[in-house]
């Protein structure tokens, strides 16, 4: 029954431990009330209901390993059993007059934090139905001086309180858990993007190392080929083959020379001026029919020089890509610096940020910025990409600000100059 559950959020062992806790608490409550307070409970029936829950735990423990993970449907089934078991126990001990009726919240709360909304909704409805049926169908609440019945109006108030608690607390717990899940997934995506950029930078270094290592044997092959070419007669098939060999060796040397020069210009630890960095960020986005104007200016201080940083390159690149996506015709990138700070401002002539989106920019999985034009009107806009860009830039010491300007959207990234020139991930 529970064999195909790998990949679920809840472990069978977790629910089992919670159920053992419930079994121990229920047993202690029943025995203390019956023995210490001398209240006439239907003790045997209560212990049978508790024993059924304990028996289920034993069967699951003997049948499945502790590491078994439950999918949402099977986890919901076990939580539904807990609700029904609690309802049966409460029906024997006064129904909603029993203060332990609030324990209906526990299974629904667990579901809200770990299961999808449909399963949580069904469990909430089940708890609601059980609480409603306990109003007419329950044994009287036993007291030392005889049975005691609370006023109907009070029972109605308890029922309303349980119902509202089920709705409010489960919704609140689900919302908090969902935001945490989205944040965790978005941060995982951020780490994957950064790892990819670092891997690409590492490949640059490997290519350069290979170029240097292969240079010596290729030079030897070229020298031998030239000597053979000189020693061969001017006519004959061997002469042509040796000439072809020398030409191909020269071609390999040219390829390796290009790899070496590319590495020297863009190595993982190469330094680049701010204006060079902005040009590299903008270059991949110049072929989409949108003009990109770059202005780099600063105070009397020298232009900042930064170590090549995948986080900065990817973060700024994503923001420029988004501006090009929404721009009508032009994007402006203004890079400025002083002795104390470095700022990059990206402006487009698009529709700008809508008010509801502007308040939530930087949250993961926000999917719309504002109306687009033409064929891109229905395509999702901001979202995980902006979250990743914002996270990466903030990890390098930057502060990312979003606003609407006179022409469209404005995104500003500001670093303390020391953090920018240090160029290291500070997260």
């Amino acid at each position: 029954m529970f064999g195909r559950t790998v990949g679920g959020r809840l472990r069978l062992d977790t629910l089992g431990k919670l159920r053992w806790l419930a079994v121990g608490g229920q047993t202690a409550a029943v025995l203390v009330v019956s023995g210490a307070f001398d209240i006439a409970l239907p003790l045997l029936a209560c212990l049978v209901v508790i024993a059924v829950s304990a028996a289920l735990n034993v069967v699951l423990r003997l049948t499945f390993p502790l590491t078994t993970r439950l999918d949402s449907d099977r986890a919901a089934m076990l939580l539904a059993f807990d609700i029904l078991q609690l309802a049966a126990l409460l029906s024997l001990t006064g129904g909603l007059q029993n203060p332990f009726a609030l324990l209906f919240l526990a299974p629904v709360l667990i579901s809200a934090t770990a299961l999808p909304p449909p399963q949580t909704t069904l469990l909430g409805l089940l708890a609601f139905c059980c609480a409603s049926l306990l109003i007419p169908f329950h044994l009287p609440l036993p007291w030392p001086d005889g049975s005691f019945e609370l006023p109907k109006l009070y029972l109605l108030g308890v029922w309303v309180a349980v119902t509202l608690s089920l709705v409010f607390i489960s919704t609140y717990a689900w919302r908090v858990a969902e935001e945490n899940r989205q944040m965790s997934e978005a941060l995982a995506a951020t780490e994957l993007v950064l790892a990819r950029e670092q891997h690409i930078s590492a490949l640059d270094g490997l290519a350069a190392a290979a170029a240097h290592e292969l240079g010596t044997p290729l030079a030897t092959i070229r020298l031998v080929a030239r000597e053979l070419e000189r020693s061969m007669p001017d006519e004959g098939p061997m002469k042509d083959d040796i000439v072809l060999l020398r030409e191909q060796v020269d071609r390999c040397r040219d390829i390796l020379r290009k790899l070496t020069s590319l590495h020297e210009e863009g190595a993982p630890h190469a330094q680049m001026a701010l204006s060079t960095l902005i040009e590299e960020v903008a270059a991949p986005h110049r072929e989409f029919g949108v003009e990109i104007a770059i202005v780099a200016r600063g105070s009397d201080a020298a232009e900042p020089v930064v170590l090549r940083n995948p986080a900065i390159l990817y973060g700024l690149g994503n923001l420029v890509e988004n501006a090009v996506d929404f721009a009508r015709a032009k994007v402006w990138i203004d890079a400025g610096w002083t002795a104390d700070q470095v700022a990059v401002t990206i402006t487009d002539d698009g529709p700008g940020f809508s008010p509801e989106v502007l308040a939530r920019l930087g949250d993961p999985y926000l999917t719309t910025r504002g109306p687009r034009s033409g064929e891109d009107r229905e395509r999702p806009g901001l979202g995980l990409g902006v979250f990743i860009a914002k996270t990466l830039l903030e990890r390098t010491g930057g502060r990312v600000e979003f606003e609407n300007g006179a022409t469209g959207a404005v995104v500003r990234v500001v670093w303390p100059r020391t953090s920018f020139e240090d160029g290291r991930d500070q997260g």
Side-chain angles (χ1 to χ4, degrees):
M1 176 180 177
F2 298 104
R4 301 184 303 274
T5 58
V6 177
R9 290 173 178 164
L10 277 176
R11 287 201 314 162
L12 182 63
D13 183 54
T14 300
L15 289 183
K17 289 178 179 178
L18 292 174
R19 190 172 294 108
W20 281 125
L21 182 62
V23 167
Q26 291 169 354
T27 304
V30 168
L31 294 179
V32 168
V33 170
S34 177
F37 296 101
D38 196 24
I39 295 178
L41 291 176
L43 186 59
L44 181 60
C46 290
L47 292 177
V48 168
V49 172
I50 297 172
V52 170
S53 184
L56 175 63
N57 251 12
V58 172
V59 170
L60 293 176
R61 176 64 184 86
L62 295 177
T63 307
F64 304 101
L66 292 175
T67 56
T68 300
R69 290 192 175 272
L70 304 173
D71 63 23
S72 56
D73 291 335
R74 292 177 172 87
M77 290 169 57
L78 291 179
L79 293 173
F81 169 83
D82 293 332
I83 293 175
L84 293 173
Q85 189 261 359
L86 177 62
L89 191 59
L90 290 174
S91 68
L92 299 172
T93 56
L96 292 185
Q97 300 181 63
N98 191 323
F100 290 104
L102 288 177
L103 291 176
F104 275 128
L105 297 175
V108 181
L109 184 60
I110 294 173
S111 175
T113 57
L115 301 183
Q119 283 76 8
T120 301
T121 301
L122 291 176
L123 288 172
L125 289 174
L126 177 62
F128 168 78
C129 293
C130 290
S132 301
L133 290 174
L134 285 178
I135 295 178
F137 302 107
H138 66 270
L139 296 180
L141 185 65
W143 288 84
D145 298 332
S147 298
F148 176 73
E149 286 288 338
L150 292 171
K152 297 295 183 183
L153 184 60
Y154 181 83
L155 285 179
L156 179 62
V158 173
W159 176 80
V160 171
V162 171
T163 301
L164 292 179
S165 298
L166 287 171
V167 175
F168 175 76
I169 294 179
S170 59
T171 302
Y172 178 81
W174 172 80
R175 184 61 185 170
V176 171
E178 183 65 17
E179 289 182 356
N180 286 336
R181 281 193 290 268
Q182 288 185 354
M183 187 64 69
S184 298
E185 293 168 2
L187 288 174
T190 302
E191 296 296 337
L192 287 175
V193 168
L194 185 57
R196 177 180 174 274
E197 295 297 316
Q198 291 172 338
H199 180 64
I200 292 174
S201 295
L203 289 179
D204 287 343
L206 290 175
H212 287 298
E213 291 296 325
L214 292 174
T216 300
L218 281 175
T220 303
I221 295 173
R222 184 175 182 276
L223 178 62
V224 172
R226 287 180 63 87
E227 292 297 327
L228 289 174
E229 182 182 356
R230 291 171 181 170
S231 63
M232 288 290 173
D234 292 338
E235 301 294 336
M238 291 295 294
K239 178 78 170 183
D240 294 337
D241 290 341
I242 292 175
V243 170
L244 178 62
L245 174 63
R246 180 180 57 77
E247 290 175 349
Q248 293 303 310
V249 169
D250 289 339
R251 184 183 175 191
C252 289
R253 294 185 69 189
D254 289 338
I255 293 173
L256 292 178
R257 191 178 299 112
K258 290 179 181 179
L259 287 176
T260 304
S261 64
L262 285 175
H263 171 73
E264 290 170 352
E265 294 173 2
H269 302 290
Q271 292 183 328
M272 58 174 64
L274 175 61
S275 56
T276 305
L277 182 145
I278 298 301
E279 288 288 349
E280 182 170 336
V281 166
H285 309 291
R286 291 188 180 277
E287 302 177 359
F288 296 98
V290 175
E291 179 186 355
I292 300 179
I294 298 176
V295 176
R297 56 194 170 192
S299 64
D300 295 336
E303 182 177 359
V305 176
V306 63
L307 293 175
R308 182 183 180 86
N309 188 320
I312 294 178
L313 289 171
Y314 181 88
L316 291 178
N318 186 279
L319 296 177
V320 172
E321 179 183 8
N322 184 71
V324 170
D325 254 358
F326 284 92
R328 295 185 178 93
K330 191 171 183 178
V331 171
W332 296 266
I333 304 177
D334 189 350
W337 63 87
T338 66
D340 300 322
Q341 70 176 25
V342 176
V344 175
T345 303
I346 302 169
T347 308
D348 63 65
D349 60 354
F353 301 113
S354 61
E356 63 273 13
V357 169
L358 187 58
R360 296 182 55 204
L361 275 173
D363 287 352
Y365 304 108
L366 181 63
T367 57
T368 303
R369 182 173 107 172
R372 294 177 181 235
S373 58
E375 62 183 9
D376 289 337
R377 184 177 298 276
E378 300 300 327
R379 190 155 61 92
L382 297 171
L384 183 58
V386 170
F387 170 83
I388 292 175
K390 184 173 182 289
T391 301
L392 291 177
L393 292 172
E394 287 177 345
R395 288 177 61 166
T396 63
R399 183 180 73 255
V400 184
E401 303 170 351
F402 302 92
E403 63 183 22
N404 287 320
T407 59
V410 178
V411 182
R412 183 177 297 105
V413 188
V414 181
W415 291 268
R417 181 160 178 149
T418 53
S419 297
F420 181 79
E421 293 182 326
D422 183 45
R424 290 179 295 184
D425 186 341
Q426 300 176 9

